[in-house]
Amino acid sequence: MSSPDWSAPETAVFDRISDALDAGDDAVLATVVDVEGSAYRRPGAKMLLDAAGGGAGSITAGCIEDEVRALAADVIDDGAPRVETWDLTGDDDVWGLGVGCNGVITVLLEPLDDSFRPVVAARGAGDLIGVATVVGGDAAPVGARGYLRPGDGFDRGDLPEGAAAELTDALRSLVADGGSETVAVDTADGAADVFCDAVRPPPELVVFGSGNDVAPVVELAALADFRVTVASFRGGDADADRFPGAADVVSVSPRDVADRFDWDDRSYVVVMSHNFVDDRLALDALLDTPVPYVGLMGPEARFDEMREAFDEEGRELTAADRDRIYTPIGLNLGGDTPYQIAHSIVAELLAVANDRTPGHLSQRDGPIHGRDDGE
């Protein structure tokens, strides 16, 4: 492995985990399993650390990473997982100041082994999976693990017998909604604290277009952990070298976009071919899919022309259709350079994907990472 990549997207972290498993490297997976108060990352955040000092990912803004790295070396030497807690709430604790980590953070550090391979495989295949890992109690050793794959039921793995019933309900709820939490369960062998983690594949983003303005959108969206496909129309340049951040680059007819991809409610679309006819045909086809977001490049007047064309064809745009069409695309950030425009587009994508109403965090009531509302 190379030097640590603190800012790696989650997909890149999982790629590195997969590589380490395949190579049989000595490595440690650090996972935030509980947070009290404020923290830079939430439960489920992961960081890979290897014996040579490399790795990928982050669990804080840097306030405990050096300590975690030192502990990881001990875990590699001992071959046994451990759970550590850092209390950064004290007034005299310089590490808790100025970095968003002003809470109590609990981290599981475990030797990376094949028990994590089903998680990597599920995410790589685009499948949801719930992971249950013992982090405390006397019913099973720390690191004992089971899985829930939607449609396949609960695989108890090496979890204590009797834990499945309570964990199944918790994992089903988390997999459906996203998130992670620690659950206390009672078994015939005693009590266990089990970290339940919903591991979800990255949302899919398809960008229709091949102009120069597509590349910044692809780059930023990939860094924000979307899996990006670039689709060109009418013989447009589908050269993968032009879009290194894209997972795939294809050519497609605008009339065929509904059938060309596997659309679901975690699919997002940006239409920016700048060809009025192609964009209208693509929009018409996309409205027959379940995608929750279709971002359309261009001014409001351009969309008005599209609606007039739809009216002439007898194609009525319903209120539900209109709610999914975001045009002019992007948040009002005020910039007009390619990267400024791309930032506004990707920011809007993140807001929709995370069910948030964009706004200044300084004007938000309550915690930044609250999950009980869409604000």
Side-chain angles (χ1 to χ4, degrees), residues 82-119:
R82 60 196 292 178
V83 175
E84 296 286 343
T85 297
W86 285 265
D87 185 345
L88 306 178
T89 59
D91 292 338
D92 297 330
D93 188 347
V94 68
W95 294 112
L97 301 178
V99 291
C101 302
N102 199 24
V104 180
I105 305 167
T106 301
V107 178
L108 167 67
L109 297 101
E110 55 182 326
L112 184 66
D113 59 29
D114 281 342
S115 71
F116 204 73
R117 194 178 289 276
V119 186

Side-chain angles (χ1 to χ4, degrees), residues 64-224:
I64 64 173
E65 260 76 354
D66 286 345
E67 293 183 53
V68 170
R69 194 168 298 282
L71 290 172
D74 293 339
V75 171
I76 290 175
D77 290 341
D78 297 343
R82 60 196 292 178
V83 175
E84 296 286 343
T85 297
W86 285 265
D87 185 345
L88 306 178
T89 59
D91 292 338
D92 297 330
D93 188 347
V94 68
W95 294 112
L97 301 178
V99 291
C101 302
N102 199 24
V104 180
I105 305 167
T106 301
V107 178
L108 167 67
L109 297 101
E110 55 182 326
L112 184 66
D113 59 29
D114 281 342
S115 71
F116 204 73
R117 194 178 289 276
V119 186
V120 174
R123 194 179 190 279
D127 297 330
L128 301 169
I129 188 169
V131 189
T133 307
V134 173
V135 294
D138 53 13
V142 170
R145 179 169 285 136
Y147 319 89
L148 183 137
R149 300 173 179 85
D152 292 340
F154 187 78
D155 177 356
R156 184 165 66 89
D158 52 5
L159 292 174
E161 188 172 356
E166 293 180 69
L167 294 176
T168 296
D169 290 342
L171 285 170
R172 286 195 191 283
S173 176
L174 289 168
V175 168
D177 299 332
S180 308
E181 65 179 4
T182 297
V183 177
V185 298
D186 293 317
T187 75
D189 298 320
D193 295 324
V194 183
F195 179 62
C196 295
D197 187 17
V199 177
R200 314 185 98 198
E204 299 279 345
L205 171 64
V206 180
V207 181
F208 291 106
S210 56
N212 292 332
D213 57 345
V214 170
V217 174
V218 172
E219 178 184 351
L220 295 179
L223 289 172

Side-chain angles (χ1 to χ4, degrees), residues 345-370:
I345 293 171
V346 175
E348 184 173 76
L349 281 163
L350 285 170
V352 174
N354 292 320
D355 193 22
R356 290 290 184 266
T357 300
H360 295 287
L361 288 175
S362 62
Q363 298 174 356
R364 177 183 171 85
D365 294 327
I368 294 172
H369 296 291

